[in-house]
Amino acid sequence: CKPIQRIRLHESSTTRRLYHATVLPSMVYTTSPEFVSKKQAMDSLVEELEAKTAKARLGGGAKAQERMKNRGKLLPRERLALLLDPHTPFLELSSLAAEDVYSDYIPGAGLITGIGRVSERECMVIVNDATVKGGSYYPLTVKKQLRAQEIAREHGLPCVYIVESGGAALPHQANVFPDKEHFGRIFYNMAQMSALGIPQISSIHGISVAGGAYVPALADENVIVQNQGRIFLAGPPLVKAATGEEIDDESLGGGSMHSTESGVTDALARDDDEAIARVRGIIGDLGQAGYPGASPTEKTEDPVYSPEELHGIVGTDVRQPFDMRDVIARVVDGSRFREFKKDYGSSIVTGFAHIHGYPVGIIGNNGILFSPSALKATQFILLCSQRQIPLLFMVNVAGYMVGSKAEKGGIAKDGAKMVRAVACADVPKLTVIVGGSFGAGNYGMAGRAYSPRFLWMWPNAKIGVMGSGQLSQVMTSVSKDPNQHATLKSEIENQSTALYSTARLWDDGIIKPTDTRDVVGLGLALASRRPGSSARTGRLNATWDGTGTGFGVFRM
Ligand code: COA
């Protein structure tokens, strides 16, 4: 009998061109008046963002920095720079947290957080900025630290805590201490992560008092700087009041006592430099602990079109439309995109691409969400979940369609299908708000409540239950207080801005449009470390007894 003949199908260049990811065409005229005016508006917003970020990075300012220097200490960002491997990227999170929130200026909420490489290993780094109110914890400082820990847990990132903090900001104690997502949760997270095998390392460079004393105490391994780091449950004044004992800081909680007598610390460093070098040594010796990431599946390749053009494509007015494909073309490798269901539900764009060599399924908005768009997005989310491909949401959504025609067509149930799919998809989700994120469109497009691994905003982005104009119109019809209407519109406008959002940690930071590709690329690299539902105890595609499918009941 004849051996089975193997037929090899050769791909012709035509099939490759037609059916694989192809370079997106782009018809952007960079000299058109529309492009130029959009660009100018976005340029000035980006400049404003850069200025605010640069100011926040100075922490408590020149005087507070000088005080720290005079005490022979390194500044928080100097400690950070020493910790990180030279010339490696640092993905800083929420650098404008707490901006314009408190009556005092609390730059970055008095805390620096971000993901960087330490001794060739990606780590979550959390640094107290003692130049800002003694590094004490305001409500948003706690929120920022908890968010950093959440990201660390989701991605299996070892945590490094560079500690120097006066503990809870006492006037705010009611909003930092008692509740579930308050101070105690920091230590709960440390204990949980340590149990999961995610290393918790700390170095103590200044006072670490009361609640703060538990950061080093709960670390797996720690280092303290002599004559500088201090750990105690209560400082000398409180000890005197409570017990009558008179004692100085150093004898009560200094490094040499803790390293030789109490055993609260594991190593004594002569100064900041040595402490950081020791932390680098600890991280270098972690062995198999932690979770390695996957390598990119493709060779990375720059987009064909310049990301600089994003400013003139999008602009700053959310009412001005643009084609999300023009944005995708400036973010993905080689500007190549294999579009899914291109001719159906055209107000949403779905398709496959690579960013820095990592595969990704992209969902982008091109208008209001109608039933077909919601159904198409739902199918695409199911496809990506099935194939374990991370999802990137590029958001510019005014919401789901309203009106009797849409209601009769079942927009509520079709929108709910998309929301359900987003909520249950067991793949990493990344969200970038490029324009508006309004109404239930925010839910369907993986808003904060849908636990995307990261959520970033562009400086022009707007977020709210609806646009400020619509909202004040609705209020006019339901409220009888005319005074309220006058102020409401401008109040809502202010509350919808990216700056307002980022100050309150509704996102992980405002990014420049031109940085989108690199930032999302880092996000995908991190997501490859733990592609499944890492933060939960079990996988979602099983019910409590390990059987069944994972999406619940789609309303048909
Ligand atoms: N709550 C609120 N504000 C605090 C604070 C806290 N826990 N700790 C420090 N601050 C503020 C100070 O009021 C001061 O504010 P100002 O610049 O507006 O005057 C600023 O932080 C710097 O404090 P200062 O004492 O001048 O600096 P320092 O470097 O000499 O000392 C500390 C820093 C943290 C060692 C010292 O302020 C301290 O011991 N704070 C109290 C710590 C404490 O008991 N915490 C209990 C937490 S439960």
Side-chain angles (χ1 to χ4, degrees):
C1 78
K2 274 171 121 185
I4 297 165
Q5 235 188 329
R6 285 190 183 276
I7 304 167
R8 288 192 61 182
L9 283 175
H10 287 282
E11 267 179 346
S12 70
S13 58
T14 319
T15 52
R16 213 185 149 77
R17 199 167 58 239
L18 289 178
Y19 305 123
H20 287 236
T22 48
V23 174
L24 281 164
S26 186
M27 307 287 256
V28 169
Y29 298 103
T30 54
T31 48
S32 73
E34 188 196 331
F35 184 96
V36 171
S37 82
K38 279 178 160 184
K39 180 175 172 346
Q40 279 168 352
M42 184 69 101
D43 284 353
S44 67
L45 261 191
V46 168
E47 271 168 34
E48 199 184 303
L49 169 72
E50 282 173 336
K52 279 191 191 299
T53 310
K55 184 167 177 232
R57 287 193 174 144
L58 291 176
K63 226 169 109 188
Q65 290 190 347
E66 206 179 299
R67 228 171 125 205
M68 218 166 157
K69 287 262 176 209
N70 291 341
R71 291 174 177 175
K73 294 179 176 184
L74 289 179
L75 298 175
R77 282 188 187 270
E78 291 173 339
R79 291 172 186 158
L80 174 65
L82 268 185
L83 178 72
L84 300 174
D85 293 353
H87 313 299
T88 55
F90 180 62
L91 181 59
E92 187 162 344
L93 301 164
S94 301
S95 25
L96 293 178
E99 188 84 4
D100 296 332
V101 173
Y102 302 111
S103 51
D104 291 314
Y105 178 49
I106 308 296
L111 193 72
I112 307 161
T113 61
I115 298 144
R117 196 167 297 163
V118 180
S119 300
E120 295 179 17
R121 200 182 271 261
E122 306 300 336
C123 291
M124 175 59 75
V125 184
I126 297 172
V127 187
N128 292 121
D129 188 345
T131 66
V132 181
K133 294 280 170 191
S136 59
Y137 280 73
Y138 281 63
L140 286 165
T141 322
V142 175
K143 192 171 179 187
K144 187 167 172 178
Q145 182 142 339
L146 293 181
R147 174 63 188 148
Q149 289 183 315
E150 182 179 39
I151 292 170
R153 181 172 172 155
E154 279 185 322
H155 297 91
L157 293 165
C159 295
V160 178
Y161 304 85
I162 308 283
V163 180
E164 176 159 19
S165 165
L170 292 171
H172 296 268
Q173 73 86 27
N175 293 315
V176 291
F177 179 68
D179 207 354
K180 182 178 168 198
E181 298 289 314
H182 283 177
F183 220 117
R185 197 74 177 179
I186 292 173
F187 317 122
Y188 172 90
N189 286 341
M190 291 182 77
Q192 288 260 320
M193 279 194 273
S194 182
L196 287 169
I198 302 173
Q200 305 291 302
I201 310 301
S202 86
S203 58
I204 301 96
H205 300 255
I207 203 155
S208 184
V209 61
Y214 284 94
V215 173
L218 275 153
D220 301 338
E221 195 171 344
N222 64 26
V223 181
I224 190 166
V225 181
Q226 72 180 13
N227 301 322
Q228 194 174 301
R230 265 140 213 167
I231 303 170
F232 30 65
L233 299 188
L238 187 55
V239 170
K240 180 152 189 259
T243 67
E245 184 186 0
E246 288 197 32
I247 188 161
D248 63 276
D249 269 4
E250 181 62 18
S251 323
L252 184 65
S256 59
M257 185 282 285
H258 279 312
S259 300
T260 57
E261 287 182 64
S262 74
V264 170
T265 51
D266 303 314
L268 185 66
R270 278 186 307 269
D271 53 20
D272 280 353
D273 290 68
E274 187 188 321
I276 299 290
R278 281 177 179 268
V279 171
R280 285 182 53 80
I282 295 169
I283 299 287
D285 278 346
L286 285 179
Q288 297 304 309
Y291 302 76
S295 300
T297 55
E298 298 273 315
K299 244 174 66 191
T300 175
E301 197 185 338
D302 285 341
V304 170
Y305 309 104
S306 166
E308 301 291 334
E309 291 168 359
L310 289 169
H311 287 203
I313 291 167
V314 176
T316 59
D317 181 356
V318 283
R319 284 162 306 182
Q320 284 202 312
F322 60 89
D323 189 342
M324 193 60 87
R325 290 182 194 87
D326 283 331
V327 177
I328 294 169
R330 285 156 184 82
V331 170
V332 302
D333 286 2
S335 303
R336 270 196 304 278
F337 189 55
R338 184 167 72 77
E339 196 162 339
F340 171 76
K341 256 184 154 79
K342 183 168 189 255
D343 303 319
Y344 180 83
S346 58
S347 69
I348 206 150
V349 179
T350 52
F352 301 95
H354 285 79
I355 298 178
H356 281 283
Y358 288 94
V360 65
I362 300 180
I363 303 183
N365 303 110
N366 256 0
I368 290 191
L369 289 163
F370 293 88
S371 278
S373 346
L375 293 175
K376 165 174 158 179
T378 305
Q379 187 183 350
F380 186 71
I381 293 164
L382 298 183
L383 266 185
C384 290
S385 305
Q386 185 89 341
R387 298 174 190 173
Q388 287 290 298
I389 297 174
L391 283 162
L392 170 63
F393 293 81
M394 304 196 70
V395 186
N396 181 29
V397 64
Y400 289 93
M401 189 59 194
V402 297
S404 67
K405 194 170 166 222
E407 300 288 3
K408 274 188 202 153
I411 187 70
K413 68 178 186 178
D414 291 336
K417 288 189 186 87
M418 182 174 167
V419 170
R420 181 185 298 279
V422 171
C424 296
D426 190 21
V427 289
K429 293 162 243 166
L430 304 177
T431 304
V432 179
I433 305 184
V434 168
S437 177
F438 292 112
N442 171 279
Y443 313 149
M445 291 298 290
R448 195 64 145 181
Y450 291 80
S451 292
R453 294 288 184 95
F454 292 98
L455 189 153
W456 292 289
M457 289 193 130
W458 281 13
N460 56 305
K462 295 271 184 318
I463 188 165
V465 70
M466 59 181 88
S468 58
Q470 287 159 305
L471 193 143
S472 50
Q473 271 176 27
V474 174
M475 278 311 291
T476 311
S477 65
V478 297
S479 155
K480 289 171 192 62
D481 178 1
N483 297 330
Q484 197 183 18
H485 308 151
T487 49
L488 197 61
K489 190 162 179 288
S490 67
E491 218 173 274
I492 299 299
E493 243 154 50
N494 175 41
Q495 290 174 358
S496 307
T497 61
L499 195 59
Y500 194 91
S501 162
T502 210
R504 287 155 184 80
L505 288 135
W506 299 343
D507 55 56
D508 294 308
I510 305 178
I511 57 170
K512 292 194 278 183
T514 47
D515 287 344
T516 306
R517 172 180 161 71
D518 291 345
V519 168
V520 171
L522 280 169
L524 290 172
L526 290 167
S528 77
R529 300 163 61 91
R530 298 190 99 183
S533 53
S534 50
R536 308 180 199 105
T537 43
R539 288 174 64 84
L540 259 180
N541 59 1
T543 44
W544 61 272
D545 61 352
T547 60
T549 48
F551 282 94
V553 180
F554 283 103
R555 180 170 301 279
M556 296 301 173

